[in-house]
Amino acid sequence: MPILKTTYKPKFMFRNGHISTIYSGVLRKVEGVTQKRERITLPDTDFIDLDWSYAGNKTKQLLVVLHGLEGNAQRHYMLGSAKMANQNNMDAVCVNFRGCSGEVNKTFQSYHSGKTDDLASVIKHITTQFDYDTIYLNGFSLGGNVILKYLGETSDLPEQIKAAVTVSVPVYLKGSLEQLMSSKNYVYSKKFLRNLRSKLVEKQQLFPQKINNQDLSAVKTLKDFDDVYTSIAHGFKDAYDYYEQSSSLQYLKHISIPTLLINAQNDSFLSKECYPIQEAEQNANFYLEIPKYGGHVGFYDEQNTYYSEKRMLQFITNL
């Protein structure tokens, strides 16, 4: 049964989920990663920006890293993974989802928790334009859900993709949405909502015929945003239809390469369904680790190298 024992036990202060989440998201700094940007054109003429960093010597190994909701390639959890890869003979490419690289994307749609076609486009670009023979995937939160769904729904994975590690993933979106909208997560949900509403205002300026002032005023919660924008822009009936179709939980049983999910018990963003023990017990390729601590993407460890980064390297190198 690929349910893994954990060795993670941080300093006392970081055993509080909110402290580890906030410190890691706001105060942590990762230095020493030099990124070079590449813009690729998607099949619908939109674009995605990729931020590359490189190992000291030429390598045929690549780590592809995906960020969470309203993140980008410069978030320090992204840089932490890239740095770990670069220091261990792997190049890294941190993917900015549509509209997350500092410039508004061109189309009405953007990104969401289940939008795997853009990841597939990135992978196709990498496998056709570069000669990496080993590709690993590493995703956080929303980006982790995209990876797990992609792996479970794709029957013809490129042979270069060897393994994946995902961290703090809301594999059951409806449950996580309900957690985020609860009082314990008020600060986080307000921050997410503020950022998302500002992007919606930008979309209104580009597509005034599709978003009006009444739509904007109706967005008072994260679910409202998904009802007003995410579901409509991406072809879902409503927010709940989006959550149901995009949750990676239903795809875990089909994952065919070694894949690790690390979800902390004290992650306030996750519902009980986000600890898929049964799925791990029934799929020899799907590994689950449930540390007691870590909050949401907050696995603080010594010398500013996070436990999740050490486990990522350990998992993919011990295959």
Side-chain angles (χ1 to χ4, degrees), residues 38-163:
E38 177 191 19
R39 176 164 293 186
I40 66 171
T41 301
L42 298 167
D44 64 355
T45 74
D46 209 345
F47 67 89
I48 274 185
D49 288 328
L50 309 178
D51 289 331
W52 293 81
S53 61
Y54 300 97
N57 299 310
K58 184 173 176 57
T59 178
K60 288 199 170 185
Q61 296 185 95
L62 176 69
L63 183 71
V64 180
V65 194
L66 271 60
H67 62 75
L69 180 65
E70 287 304 282
N72 57 52
Q74 285 67 54
R75 290 294 172 90
H76 291 278
Y77 60 85
M78 299 283 282
L79 297 176
S81 278
K83 186 173 184 177
M84 178 63 80
N86 297 160
Q87 290 178 338
N88 289 275
N89 196 39
M90 284 181 277
D91 293 341
V93 58
C94 293
V95 179
N96 297 277
F97 291 129
R98 299 191 194 208
C100 293
S101 58
E103 183 177 334
V104 183
N105 65 302
K106 296 179 180 180
T107 60
F108 183 55
Q109 65 174 229
S110 55
Y111 73 99
H112 64 74
S113 297
K115 190 165 176 52
T116 53
D117 55 338
D118 285 354
L119 174 57
S121 294
V122 169
I123 297 297
K124 182 178 180 181
H125 170 73
I126 292 169
T127 55
T128 57
Q129 299 300 316
F130 303 96
D131 63 347
Y132 295 105
D133 60 20
T134 301
I135 297 174
Y136 302 115
L137 306 181
N138 185 202
F140 297 87
S141 197
L142 179 150
N145 190 78
V146 171
I147 287 174
L148 293 173
K149 181 172 179 283
Y150 168 76
L151 293 176
E153 72 183 7
T154 307
S155 58
D156 55 344
L157 281 178
E159 63 180 6
Q160 296 94 325
I161 300 178
K162 305 301 185 185

Side-chain angles (χ1 to χ4, degrees), residues 215-231:
D215 292 329
L216 289 175
S217 63
V219 178
K220 294 181 173 61
T221 67
L222 292 172
K223 179 182 176 296
D224 293 338
F225 178 84
D226 290 332
D227 273 322
V228 169
Y229 172 70
T230 309
S231 58

Side-chain angles (χ1 to χ4, degrees), residues 203-312:
K203 284 290 184 188
Q204 184 190 36
Q205 294 170 354
L206 291 174
F207 302 96
Q209 73 281 12
K210 293 187 176 182
I211 303 174
N212 56 43
N213 290 333
Q214 186 175 352
D215 292 329
L216 289 175
S217 63
V219 178
K220 294 181 173 61
T221 67
L222 292 172
K223 179 182 176 296
D224 293 338
F225 178 84
D226 290 332
D227 273 322
V228 169
Y229 172 70
T230 309
S231 58
I232 294 173
H234 301 96
F236 301 102
K237 296 176 184 177
D238 54 24
Y240 287 128
D241 183 47
Y242 156 52
Y243 304 145
E244 180 178 352
Q245 292 197 44
S246 299
S247 293
S248 62
L249 180 62
Q250 61 202 307
Y251 296 97
L252 300 180
K253 61 186 176 183
H254 300 302
I255 289 176
S256 59
I257 64 168
T259 300
L260 172 62
L261 169 62
I262 305 173
N263 276 356
Q265 292 181 36
N266 67 347
D267 186 337
S268 66
F269 291 21
L270 303 182
S271 65
K272 66 181 188 302
E273 295 89 352
C274 295
Y275 303 92
I277 293 173
Q278 182 177 353
E279 285 76 7
E281 291 175 339
Q282 295 177 354
N283 183 349
N285 291 304
F286 177 61
Y287 295 76
L288 177 64
E289 182 175 342
I290 310 175
K292 187 174 182 179
Y293 311 108
H296 192 72
V297 195
F299 294 89
Y300 173 90
D301 214 339
E302 299 297 327
Q303 299 179 323
N304 201 28
T305 301
Y306 272 37
Y307 176 78
S308 49
E309 294 154 10
K310 296 174 184 176
R311 284 293 289 120
M312 177 270 292

